[in-house]
Amino acid sequence: MRRLWLSAAALCTAVVSLFLSSCSSSGDVATNPTLSNSDEVAATLLVSNHPIEQWQQEDSDMLPLSPPVGHNGDDDDSDSVRPPKKGDRMRPLPLPCLGLTPEQMAQIRQFQAQLDSANRAVMASIADQLAALRQQEQAAWEAYRQATASQREELAALYRQFRAQVDSIRKLVRSGGMSRDDARTALRQLAQDFQNARKAIIDSTADARAQLKAALDQIAQARKALMDQIQPQLDANYQQFLNNVASILTPEQQAIWQRWLNGEDPCKGRGPRR
């Protein structure tokens, strides 16, 4: 049975909200690196680029070039439908334990196709508005990328310089030209200077990030309003699907079906699902 997808727009809203929450954080990650102890940072830099790689990842999270990529998080269960109400999760239909006849199974497939078709029609009614919002979102991201382009170049140059300095100190230690204690002292100062410069660059993008957040907030609100507008019809479509299934079940099957409607898993312990 084909999987039902109610709305790509709902997924997009959830993914963008993750970025918005990171933008609204009270402090930049650059000011609070995970390896915050200067002695620990210096000792690690003496043998590894891990702190540098970590800081670059933090910068990528703080200054993303495009919206975060997410997934629906669902398993690949083909006998599932997605309840339209917010907070409900996709649940496998209790087909394995209903004891359906081939005729009943064929009817349920037909009901599923009808549900798919009805929901596609509902989504089509707001397709133009969703497309316009996607264009606005793309424009907001492009403006942000242009506004932060010079800072990205500055960060890249800063990282190249810092890596070269760290590498030079390591070579001196390996060649015996510098003691490990002196190397750690030098690396502590280098790391502190690097962090100060890094923070200044990221802080200079605050206005661009704030403008992007404001634009995405507005778009997310508009998208939510559209989804709220069609939600009653999606709910009605889903309820009709449930009613259709119940209408072809025997009394014994309806008892199992009702347990599933109540949130139970009547097939639990009855072997693997088909």
Side-chain angles (χ1 to χ4, degrees):
M1 187 177 293
R2 294 176 299 167
R3 167 174 285 179
L4 167 65
W5 298 101
L6 282 188
S7 170
L11 171 62
C12 184
T13 299
V15 169
V16 170
S17 68
L18 295 177
F19 170 78
L20 295 180
S21 64
S22 68
C23 281
S24 60
S25 176
S26 60
D28 286 348
V29 293
T31 65
N32 296 292
T34 304
L35 291 176
S36 57
N37 181 279
S38 60
D39 290 331
E40 181 183 355
V41 170
T44 305
L45 285 173
L46 192 58
V47 296
S48 168
N49 283 336
H50 172 68
I52 302 175
E53 294 166 355
Q54 177 182 301
W55 294 330
Q56 285 183 310
Q57 182 58 55
E58 290 172 352
D59 293 348
S60 296
D61 294 339
M62 181 57 60
L63 298 173
L65 282 170
S66 57
V69 177
H71 57 83
N72 56 34
D74 298 321
D75 59 21
D76 190 23
D77 195 321
S78 60
D79 292 328
S80 300
V81 293
R82 182 188 301 279
K85 294 182 181 178
K86 182 178 180 181
D88 288 350
R89 62 183 178 85
M90 189 173 73
R91 300 173 59 214
L93 296 172
L95 304 184
C97 54
L98 281 175
L100 298 168
T101 66
E103 292 76 17
Q104 286 177 315
M105 180 64 75
Q107 286 179 294
I108 290 180
R109 292 182 186 278
Q110 181 180 358
F111 297 150
Q112 177 76 71
Q114 292 171 352
L115 176 59
D116 291 343
S117 178
N119 284 336
R120 283 196 297 269
V122 174
M123 291 303 301
S125 70
I126 61 170
D128 290 344
Q129 296 98 311
L130 289 176
L133 291 177
R134 284 193 294 272
Q135 291 178 351
Q136 293 175 26
E137 193 170 67
Q138 291 170 359
W141 276 98
E142 181 58 29
Y144 160 77
R145 284 190 287 267
Q146 293 181 10
T148 58
S150 62
Q151 287 94 335
R152 295 176 197 281
E153 293 177 359
E154 290 178 39
L155 270 177
L158 181 66
Y159 272 100
R160 286 194 296 270
Q161 179 187 49
F162 183 55
R163 283 178 178 272
Q165 292 170 327
V166 171
D167 189 52
S168 295
I169 291 175
R170 288 177 186 161
K171 288 180 179 178
L172 284 173
V173 172
R174 288 195 296 268
S175 67
M178 179 182 285
S179 69
R180 297 182 71 86
D181 286 343
D182 288 344
R184 280 192 289 269
T185 299
L187 286 170
R188 274 197 299 271
Q189 187 59 54
L190 275 177
Q192 186 60 57
D193 293 343
F194 167 79
Q195 288 284 48
N196 291 338
R198 175 183 172 232
K199 179 180 183 301
I201 294 172
I202 292 180
D203 285 351
S204 70
T205 67
D207 287 344
R209 287 184 284 122
Q211 290 173 13
L212 175 63
K213 180 182 182 302
L216 295 182
D217 275 338
Q218 185 175 12
I219 293 168
Q221 290 171 5
R223 183 178 283 116
K224 181 181 182 302
L226 283 175
M227 296 306 299
D228 288 345
Q229 173 185 318
I230 65 171
Q231 192 63 55
Q233 187 58 55
L234 294 176
D235 290 343
N237 292 347
Y238 181 66
Q239 187 59 53
Q240 184 61 55
F241 168 77
L242 297 181
N243 294 341
N244 288 342
V245 173
S247 71
I248 66 169
L249 301 179
T250 66
E252 292 79 10
Q253 291 170 332
Q254 287 180 358
I256 297 172
W257 181 249
Q258 188 59 51
R259 288 178 57 196
W260 181 82
L261 291 177
N262 292 340
E264 300 179 41
D265 182 1
C267 298
K268 186 175 182 179
R270 300 196 182 195
R273 296 183 183 277
R274 290 181 292 176

